[in-house]
Amino acid sequence: MSKWLDMLKMKRITYKLFVTTSLILLSFAVLIYVSLYFFLPTFYEQYKTNQLQTGIEEIITKSKDLDLQYGVLLLDAFAKKNNAVVYLQNKEGVIIYSPFFSSVRKGYSLSAEVRVERAKPIVNSNSFDVAVPIQFLDAKLTLVVYATFQPIDEASQVLVLFLPYLSVIVIVIGIASAYLYSRFITKPLLYINQGAQKMANLDFSEQIEVRSTDELGELSTSLNELSVNLQQTMQELHNANRQLKSDIEKERAVETKRREFFAIAAHELKTPLTVMKGYLEGMIYHIGPYRDRDQYLQKNHQIVEGMEQLVREILSMSKLERDTFKLQLEEVNLSQLVDKTTADLEYFAAQREIQLMKHIASDIMVHTDRLMLEKACKNIIHNAIMYSPQGEKVCIQLTQDVQEGSIQFQVINTGVNIKEEDMQQIFEPFYRVEKSRNRNTGGSGLGLYIVKQIFDALGITYSMHNIEQGVQFAAVIPKSRQ
């Protein structure tokens, strides 16, 4: 039962159109039948009257040029054509000719008139009866015409008798025609509706194919175009939404790192400030060893220098992260830059009894930001010296691959390895392999993070991993920034 109800609901437009068309056809049939029954007799009577009058006028006009002997031929033709009683009579009322009195016509003679008293026909509303003068060349007579309209009344009665049969025929033909018409018209509409419902449910797997050049064909084409546009728009929205989610996640990650960074930075600054405060209070109140003001002023000075270095690194890193930061690109002799940076750190290496070994190819040119690249190279070499055991070696290599058009920069420090879990985070801000965070055994933890920021900005690929002799940092520098 529910299935039939669903079908009826889906095809209600078919049934509406079927019922409407059936009613229209039946209404027209009834209207035509009623019109025939009521208006056909009047119309026929008027038509017949006009026809008879026109024929009489034509006979009167032509008889003026004919003798009576030839004029009666017109009367014969008129009587046969209109199924009318026609006769001629003289002024005394004697019938001298009629098609129904053949003996009179054959024995026609002006001197021997057959006198027959005119028999008056029964006249009613369904008849035509007129007497008009008619002029022949040889006689002036009266033309009498009589016709009955009774056959049309009989036809109306036959219509009434035929009504049951006619009604069955009209109903069958009307219903069948309405059904076929409604099916023909609504079939493409139902098909289009099914396709539109699929589109409403975001199912664009099928195209609506209505092969027609009328409005239904245009509608199917428009819906197909709408389907394509919706698919494209939804895909674009999906991509935009996915990109937005990715951006939001990245922003959240950046915000989280920023908060962590400021928390760690605050901790890094808080610790030396606390130490300085203790030193200063001891000197102010002459407590124990703090009476030696010169010694602790020197220590405070060292703490301030360390804090100053940390602030410079934070500002440098912040500068790299700003959207307004722009690189100052120029042609740089990388060989001289690396050689100079290594020379500047030789004294620091000597203090730690670290041997610096250089293998630098000459006159390697690169289009880059001199200050940023110099800072990154200095941090890498300094970091290698800082974390190498006493008496070990730090090897700096700079070579050029002519075929690939790239430059390889490597720094290897021997005698040490980094745990794998530390290697994964070594480029994070404030991360130090040495957990005590003692400034005498390590830096602030921002050196390699700044290297990461600079190399990312310059388009330089880099990596750090353990080798048999120690730890290797490798970077591939393009001849020009990508």
PDB file of all heavy atoms in Angstrom, residues 296-317:
ATOM      1  N   TYR A 296      82.407  40.424  42.303  1.00  0.00           N
ATOM      2  CA  TYR A 296      81.022  40.151  41.947  1.00  0.00           C
ATOM      3  C   TYR A 296      80.465  41.154  40.938  1.00  0.00           C
ATOM      4  O   TYR A 296      79.523  40.844  40.210  1.00  0.00           O
ATOM      5  CB  TYR A 296      80.158  40.083  43.212  1.00  0.00           C
ATOM      6  CG  TYR A 296      80.383  38.785  43.943  1.00  0.00           C
ATOM      7  CD1 TYR A 296      81.275  38.722  45.021  1.00  0.00           C
ATOM      8  CD2 TYR A 296      79.764  37.625  43.512  1.00  0.00           C
ATOM      9  CE1 TYR A 296      81.510  37.522  45.669  1.00  0.00           C
ATOM     10  CE2 TYR A 296      80.007  36.429  44.174  1.00  0.00           C
ATOM     11  CZ  TYR A 296      80.870  36.374  45.239  1.00  0.00           C
ATOM     12  OH  TYR A 296      81.108  35.182  45.859  1.00  0.00           O
ATOM     13  N   LEU A 297      81.088  42.334  40.894  1.00  0.00           N
ATOM     14  CA  LEU A 297      80.726  43.238  39.796  1.00  0.00           C
ATOM     15  C   LEU A 297      81.164  42.635  38.460  1.00  0.00           C
ATOM     16  O   LEU A 297      80.462  42.751  37.442  1.00  0.00           O
ATOM     17  CB  LEU A 297      81.376  44.605  40.008  1.00  0.00           C
ATOM     18  CG  LEU A 297      80.698  45.529  41.023  1.00  0.00           C
ATOM     19  CD1 LEU A 297      81.533  46.793  41.236  1.00  0.00           C
ATOM     20  CD2 LEU A 297      79.291  45.907  40.541  1.00  0.00           C
ATOM     21  N   GLN A 298      82.341  41.985  38.467  1.00  0.00           N
ATOM     22  CA  GLN A 298      82.808  41.330  37.248  1.00  0.00           C
ATOM     23  C   GLN A 298      81.861  40.183  36.847  1.00  0.00           C
ATOM     24  O   GLN A 298      81.532  40.015  35.674  1.00  0.00           O
ATOM     25  CB  GLN A 298      84.223  40.784  37.484  1.00  0.00           C
ATOM     26  CG  GLN A 298      84.844  40.105  36.273  1.00  0.00           C
ATOM     27  CD  GLN A 298      85.078  41.055  35.107  1.00  0.00           C
ATOM     28  OE1 GLN A 298      85.321  42.264  35.319  1.00  0.00           O
ATOM     29  NE2 GLN A 298      85.006  40.547  33.890  1.00  0.00           N
ATOM     30  N   LYS A 299      81.390  39.430  37.832  1.00  0.00           N
ATOM     31  CA  LYS A 299      80.452  38.340  37.530  1.00  0.00           C
ATOM     32  C   LYS A 299      79.122  38.886  37.004  1.00  0.00           C
ATOM     33  O   LYS A 299      78.527  38.338  36.068  1.00  0.00           O
ATOM     34  CB  LYS A 299      80.215  37.507  38.783  1.00  0.00           C
ATOM     35  CG  LYS A 299      81.416  36.671  39.180  1.00  0.00           C
ATOM     36  CD  LYS A 299      81.083  35.773  40.376  1.00  0.00           C
ATOM     37  CE  LYS A 299      82.292  34.881  40.712  1.00  0.00           C
ATOM     38  NZ  LYS A 299      82.011  33.966  41.845  1.00  0.00           N
ATOM     39  N   ASN A 300      78.664  40.002  37.629  1.00  0.00           N
ATOM     40  CA  ASN A 300      77.420  40.624  37.135  1.00  0.00           C
ATOM     41  C   ASN A 300      77.583  41.105  35.699  1.00  0.00           C
ATOM     42  O   ASN A 300      76.662  41.019  34.879  1.00  0.00           O
ATOM     43  CB  ASN A 300      77.010  41.781  38.030  1.00  0.00           C
ATOM     44  CG  ASN A 300      76.310  41.315  39.300  1.00  0.00           C
ATOM     45  OD1 ASN A 300      75.861  40.183  39.370  1.00  0.00           O
ATOM     46  ND2 ASN A 300      76.235  42.192  40.278  1.00  0.00           N
ATOM     47  N   HIS A 301      78.783  41.632  35.422  1.00  0.00           N
ATOM     48  CA  HIS A 301      79.042  42.097  34.058  1.00  0.00           C
ATOM     49  C   HIS A 301      78.972  40.940  33.069  1.00  0.00           C
ATOM     50  O   HIS A 301      78.421  41.066  31.963  1.00  0.00           O
ATOM     51  CB  HIS A 301      80.418  42.776  34.006  1.00  0.00           C
ATOM     52  CG  HIS A 301      80.717  43.370  32.668  1.00  0.00           C
ATOM     53  ND1 HIS A 301      81.457  42.694  31.710  1.00  0.00           N
ATOM     54  CD2 HIS A 301      80.379  44.567  32.099  1.00  0.00           C
ATOM     55  CE1 HIS A 301      81.567  43.432  30.627  1.00  0.00           C
ATOM     56  NE2 HIS A 301      80.928  44.591  30.837  1.00  0.00           N
ATOM     57  N   GLN A 302      79.532  39.789  33.448  1.00  0.00           N
ATOM     58  CA  GLN A 302      79.460  38.613  32.588  1.00  0.00           C
ATOM     59  C   GLN A 302      78.009  38.152  32.373  1.00  0.00           C
ATOM     60  O   GLN A 302      77.619  37.756  31.273  1.00  0.00           O
ATOM     61  CB  GLN A 302      80.284  37.480  33.207  1.00  0.00           C
ATOM     62  CG  GLN A 302      81.783  37.753  33.216  1.00  0.00           C
ATOM     63  CD  GLN A 302      82.560  36.671  33.939  1.00  0.00           C
ATOM     64  OE1 GLN A 302      81.976  35.737  34.496  1.00  0.00           O
ATOM     65  NE2 GLN A 302      83.898  36.802  33.941  1.00  0.00           N
ATOM     66  N   ILE A 303      77.214  38.217  33.459  1.00  0.00           N
ATOM     67  CA  ILE A 303      75.798  37.823  33.338  1.00  0.00           C
ATOM     68  C   ILE A 303      75.056  38.770  32.393  1.00  0.00           C
ATOM     69  O   ILE A 303      74.257  38.353  31.546  1.00  0.00           O
ATOM     70  CB  ILE A 303      75.132  37.814  34.721  1.00  0.00           C
ATOM     71  CG1 ILE A 303      75.726  36.696  35.594  1.00  0.00           C
ATOM     72  CG2 ILE A 303      73.622  37.627  34.597  1.00  0.00           C
ATOM     73  CD1 ILE A 303      75.261  36.721  37.034  1.00  0.00           C
ATOM     74  N   VAL A 304      75.345  40.075  32.513  1.00  0.00           N
ATOM     75  CA  VAL A 304      74.686  41.055  31.639  1.00  0.00           C
ATOM     76  C   VAL A 304      75.071  40.816  30.178  1.00  0.00           C
ATOM     77  O   VAL A 304      74.242  40.920  29.267  1.00  0.00           O
ATOM     78  CB  VAL A 304      75.051  42.488  32.085  1.00  0.00           C
ATOM     79  CG1 VAL A 304      74.586  43.514  31.054  1.00  0.00           C
ATOM     80  CG2 VAL A 304      74.436  42.793  33.432  1.00  0.00           C
ATOM     81  N   GLU A 305      76.360  40.499  29.952  1.00  0.00           N
ATOM     82  CA  GLU A 305      76.786  40.213  28.578  1.00  0.00           C
ATOM     83  C   GLU A 305      76.057  38.992  28.015  1.00  0.00           C
ATOM     84  O   GLU A 305      75.657  38.971  26.846  1.00  0.00           O
ATOM     85  CB  GLU A 305      78.303  39.983  28.563  1.00  0.00           C
ATOM     86  CG  GLU A 305      79.118  41.262  28.678  1.00  0.00           C
ATOM     87  CD  GLU A 305      80.613  40.980  28.565  1.00  0.00           C
ATOM     88  OE1 GLU A 305      81.014  39.815  28.782  1.00  0.00           O
ATOM     89  OE2 GLU A 305      81.366  41.914  28.254  1.00  0.00           O
ATOM     90  N   GLY A 306      75.896  37.965  28.859  1.00  0.00           N
ATOM     91  CA  GLY A 306      75.166  36.777  28.422  1.00  0.00           C
ATOM     92  C   GLY A 306      73.709  37.097  28.097  1.00  0.00           C
ATOM     93  O   GLY A 306      73.155  36.614  27.100  1.00  0.00           O
ATOM     94  N   MET A 307      73.088  37.920  28.968  1.00  0.00           N
ATOM     95  CA  MET A 307      71.706  38.325  28.723  1.00  0.00           C
ATOM     96  C   MET A 307      71.603  39.174  27.461  1.00  0.00           C
ATOM     97  O   MET A 307      70.663  39.056  26.686  1.00  0.00           O
ATOM     98  CB  MET A 307      71.167  39.100  29.926  1.00  0.00           C
ATOM     99  CG  MET A 307      70.998  38.248  31.181  1.00  0.00           C
ATOM    100  SD  MET A 307      70.501  39.226  32.602  1.00  0.00           S
ATOM    101  CE  MET A 307      68.943  39.881  32.032  1.00  0.00           C
ATOM    102  N   GLU A 308      72.604  40.029  27.271  1.00  0.00           N
ATOM    103  CA  GLU A 308      72.614  40.873  26.068  1.00  0.00           C
ATOM    104  C   GLU A 308      72.708  40.018  24.808  1.00  0.00           C
ATOM    105  O   GLU A 308      72.016  40.261  23.822  1.00  0.00           O
ATOM    106  CB  GLU A 308      73.780  41.841  26.134  1.00  0.00           C
ATOM    107  CG  GLU A 308      73.847  42.802  24.956  1.00  0.00           C
ATOM    108  CD  GLU A 308      75.060  43.706  25.024  1.00  0.00           C
ATOM    109  OE1 GLU A 308      75.985  43.419  25.809  1.00  0.00           O
ATOM    110  OE2 GLU A 308      75.088  44.697  24.277  1.00  0.00           O
ATOM    111  N   GLN A 309      73.572  38.967  24.868  1.00  0.00           N
ATOM    112  CA  GLN A 309      73.704  38.070  23.731  1.00  0.00           C
ATOM    113  C   GLN A 309      72.394  37.335  23.465  1.00  0.00           C
ATOM    114  O   GLN A 309      71.965  37.180  22.313  1.00  0.00           O
ATOM    115  CB  GLN A 309      74.834  37.063  24.003  1.00  0.00           C
ATOM    116  CG  GLN A 309      75.028  36.031  22.915  1.00  0.00           C
ATOM    117  CD  GLN A 309      75.450  36.638  21.582  1.00  0.00           C
ATOM    118  OE1 GLN A 309      76.030  37.734  21.546  1.00  0.00           O
ATOM    119  NE2 GLN A 309      75.152  35.958  20.489  1.00  0.00           N
ATOM    120  N   LEU A 310      71.736  36.896  24.551  1.00  0.00           N
ATOM    121  CA  LEU A 310      70.455  36.195  24.403  1.00  0.00           C
ATOM    122  C   LEU A 310      69.396  37.099  23.786  1.00  0.00           C
ATOM    123  O   LEU A 310      68.643  36.693  22.889  1.00  0.00           O
ATOM    124  CB  LEU A 310      69.983  35.700  25.779  1.00  0.00           C
ATOM    125  CG  LEU A 310      68.611  35.021  25.813  1.00  0.00           C
ATOM    126  CD1 LEU A 310      68.614  33.772  24.930  1.00  0.00           C
ATOM    127  CD2 LEU A 310      68.218  34.665  27.247  1.00  0.00           C
ATOM    128  N   VAL A 311      69.342  38.361  24.233  1.00  0.00           N
ATOM    129  CA  VAL A 311      68.362  39.308  23.688  1.00  0.00           C
ATOM    130  C   VAL A 311      68.636  39.566  22.217  1.00  0.00           C
ATOM    131  O   VAL A 311      67.709  39.641  21.393  1.00  0.00           O
ATOM    132  CB  VAL A 311      68.380  40.622  24.498  1.00  0.00           C
ATOM    133  CG1 VAL A 311      67.544  41.693  23.801  1.00  0.00           C
ATOM    134  CG2 VAL A 311      67.851  40.387  25.906  1.00  0.00           C
ATOM    135  N   ARG A 312      69.947  39.666  21.857  1.00  0.00           N
ATOM    136  CA  ARG A 312      70.270  39.879  20.441  1.00  0.00           C
ATOM    137  C   ARG A 312      69.808  38.692  19.589  1.00  0.00           C
ATOM    138  O   ARG A 312      69.295  38.872  18.484  1.00  0.00           O
ATOM    139  CB  ARG A 312      71.780  40.087  20.283  1.00  0.00           C
ATOM    140  CG  ARG A 312      72.257  41.487  20.625  1.00  0.00           C
ATOM    141  CD  ARG A 312      73.622  41.759  20.018  1.00  0.00           C
ATOM    142  NE  ARG A 312      74.633  40.849  20.563  1.00  0.00           N
ATOM    143  CZ  ARG A 312      75.416  41.112  21.607  1.00  0.00           C
ATOM    144  NH1 ARG A 312      75.300  42.282  22.243  1.00  0.00           N
ATOM    145  NH2 ARG A 312      76.315  40.239  22.007  1.00  0.00           N
ATOM    146  N   GLU A 313      69.983  37.491  20.114  1.00  0.00           N
ATOM    147  CA  GLU A 313      69.554  36.309  19.383  1.00  0.00           C
ATOM    148  C   GLU A 313      68.031  36.259  19.250  1.00  0.00           C
ATOM    149  O   GLU A 313      67.497  35.896  18.189  1.00  0.00           O
ATOM    150  CB  GLU A 313      70.074  35.049  20.088  1.00  0.00           C
ATOM    151  CG  GLU A 313      71.579  34.879  19.960  1.00  0.00           C
ATOM    152  CD  GLU A 313      72.079  33.660  20.708  1.00  0.00           C
ATOM    153  OE1 GLU A 313      71.284  33.060  21.462  1.00  0.00           O
ATOM    154  OE2 GLU A 313      73.255  33.299  20.534  1.00  0.00           O
ATOM    155  N   ILE A 314      67.354  36.639  20.316  1.00  0.00           N
ATOM    156  CA  ILE A 314      65.881  36.666  20.254  1.00  0.00           C
ATOM    157  C   ILE A 314      65.402  37.696  19.243  1.00  0.00           C
ATOM    158  O   ILE A 314      64.490  37.436  18.440  1.00  0.00           O
ATOM    159  CB  ILE A 314      65.286  36.962  21.646  1.00  0.00           C
ATOM    160  CG1 ILE A 314      65.555  35.775  22.596  1.00  0.00           C
ATOM    161  CG2 ILE A 314      63.791  37.232  21.559  1.00  0.00           C
ATOM    162  CD1 ILE A 314      65.131  36.023  24.024  1.00  0.00           C
ATOM    163  N   LEU A 315      66.041  38.876  19.254  1.00  0.00           N
ATOM    164  CA  LEU A 315      65.662  39.917  18.291  1.00  0.00           C
ATOM    165  C   LEU A 315      65.977  39.494  16.862  1.00  0.00           C
ATOM    166  O   LEU A 315      65.201  39.763  15.931  1.00  0.00           O
ATOM    167  CB  LEU A 315      66.387  41.226  18.632  1.00  0.00           C
ATOM    168  CG  LEU A 315      65.945  41.918  19.929  1.00  0.00           C
ATOM    169  CD1 LEU A 315      66.816  43.128  20.198  1.00  0.00           C
ATOM    170  CD2 LEU A 315      64.485  42.328  19.841  1.00  0.00           C
ATOM    171  N   SER A 316      67.100  38.822  16.688  1.00  0.00           N
ATOM    172  CA  SER A 316      67.462  38.346  15.350  1.00  0.00           C
ATOM    173  C   SER A 316      66.447  37.324  14.847  1.00  0.00           C
ATOM    174  O   SER A 316      66.017  37.362  13.684  1.00  0.00           O
ATOM    175  CB  SER A 316      68.861  37.732  15.388  1.00  0.00           C
ATOM    176  OG  SER A 316      69.199  37.185  14.130  1.00  0.00           O
ATOM    177  N   MET A 317      66.075  36.402  15.731  1.00  0.00           N
ATOM    178  CA  MET A 317      65.091  35.405  15.361  1.00  0.00           C
ATOM    179  C   MET A 317      63.743  36.054  15.071  1.00  0.00           C
ATOM    180  O   MET A 317      63.051  35.698  14.104  1.00  0.00           O
ATOM    181  CB  MET A 317      64.943  34.387  16.485  1.00  0.00           C
ATOM    182  CG  MET A 317      63.996  33.248  16.185  1.00  0.00           C
ATOM    183  SD  MET A 317      63.601  32.370  17.689  1.00  0.00           S
ATOM    184  CE  MET A 317      62.797  33.674  18.609  1.00  0.00           C
TER     185      MET A 317
END
